[in-house]
Amino acid sequence: MTVPGQISTSFNRLHGGICQDIYDNIIVEYSKHIFNEKTQRKDHTYPVHKVKENLLENLPPFELEELVISYIQIKEGYYVLSNSIARGSTTVKVECEFRSRNPEEPKKAVVQVKGGAELDASEFQDYAEKGYIVYLYASKIENLDKIKNCFEITGKELKDFYDEYKEVLPESIKELENLFRKHD
């Protein structure tokens, strides 16, 4: 049931069609690993080689969202409002809503995560006007400089966060990394 992000997002790309080559070695090795686990023929398996993974590109969408939400809670000092989490809806503009942990500096924030896709920050103008801080994570963000209190979480920041806090992150986020430690 777990599909690397590069595979799942290849079906959502504009003009991506239904067939697309993916050249990342991690996808090849992951596919061999899954085949080896599912096959009933133990005499016909593929050797799986350790490769340097591109964690952020290969996280499934839910796990990428979980990583970004964890980043905001730990690094930015918020807690998530559990009743605000978008449950599988593609019509909701944000993943969830946050409140500041500091009662002396009450703030509210929202986040949108789009792995392998682009975002236009101007779509979140209404949140900024209502006093929210807007956090965005995407492959490319347009008009970020035109929206007050709108911030990009970069891939480097997220990867650095992962490296620093991976021991407290959910196993589902670390799955691909752990997969390739099992081999070679």
Side-chain angles (χ1 to χ4, degrees), residues 28-48:
V28 173
E29 298 304 318
Y30 182 82
S31 297
K32 290 191 296 188
H33 167 77
I34 293 300
F35 177 86
N36 291 348
E37 280 192 347
K38 302 292 181 191
T39 187
Q40 300 298 313
R41 297 182 55 201
K42 297 301 176 194
D43 62 325
H44 185 70
T45 58
Y46 293 97
V48 178

Side-chain angles (χ1 to χ4, degrees), residues 11-136:
F11 289 97
N12 297 327
R13 290 189 181 119
L14 186 60
H15 308 298
I18 59 170
C19 183
Q20 177 177 343
D21 289 334
I22 299 174
Y23 297 101
D24 198 329
N25 282 338
I26 194 170
I27 300 303
V28 173
E29 298 304 318
Y30 182 82
S31 297
K32 290 191 296 188
H33 167 77
I34 293 300
F35 177 86
N36 291 348
E37 280 192 347
K38 302 292 181 191
T39 187
Q40 300 298 313
R41 297 182 55 201
K42 297 301 176 194
D43 62 325
H44 185 70
T45 58
Y46 293 97
V48 178
H49 304 286
K50 184 174 184 173
V51 294
K52 185 174 169 50
E53 76 280 351
N54 186 335
L55 175 76
L56 300 179
E57 282 186 15
N58 289 300
L59 279 176
F62 181 80
E63 280 71 20
L64 180 60
E65 291 169 9
E66 185 76 25
L67 182 60
V68 172
I69 290 168
S70 297
Y71 173 92
I72 293 169
Q73 291 182 96
I74 293 171
K75 292 299 245 184
E76 301 296 331
Y78 288 92
Y79 68 90
V80 69
L81 296 177
S82 61
N83 65 348
S84 73
I85 298 172
R87 289 176 171 71
S89 173
T90 58
T91 59
V92 177
K93 249 189 197 182
V94 296
E95 309 304 342
C96 62
E97 189 174 328
F98 301 90
R99 291 293 185 270
S100 172
R101 290 183 180 180
N102 183 351
E104 295 171 17
E105 200 179 327
K107 297 184 287 185
K108 54 188 180 178
V110 292
V111 65
Q112 178 54 269
V113 178
K114 291 291 182 199
E118 295 181 12
L119 280 175
D120 185 345
S122 63
E123 293 179 21
F124 302 90
Q125 176 73 38
D126 54 334
Y127 286 99
E129 288 174 357
K130 292 177 185 172
Y132 286 89
I133 294 173
V134 178
Y135 291 98
L136 302 174

Side-chain angles (χ1 to χ4, degrees), residues 133-148:
I133 294 173
V134 178
Y135 291 98
L136 302 174
Y137 177 83
S139 298
K140 182 179 178 184
I141 301 172
E142 295 180 3
N143 300 313
L144 185 66
D145 58 337
K146 296 177 179 153
I147 308 300
K148 184 180 176 184

Side-chain angles (χ1 to χ4, degrees), residues 144-156:
L144 185 66
D145 58 337
K146 296 177 179 153
I147 308 300
K148 184 180 176 184
N149 291 327
C150 189
F151 301 96
E152 175 182 16
I153 298 171
T154 67
K156 181 179 180 347

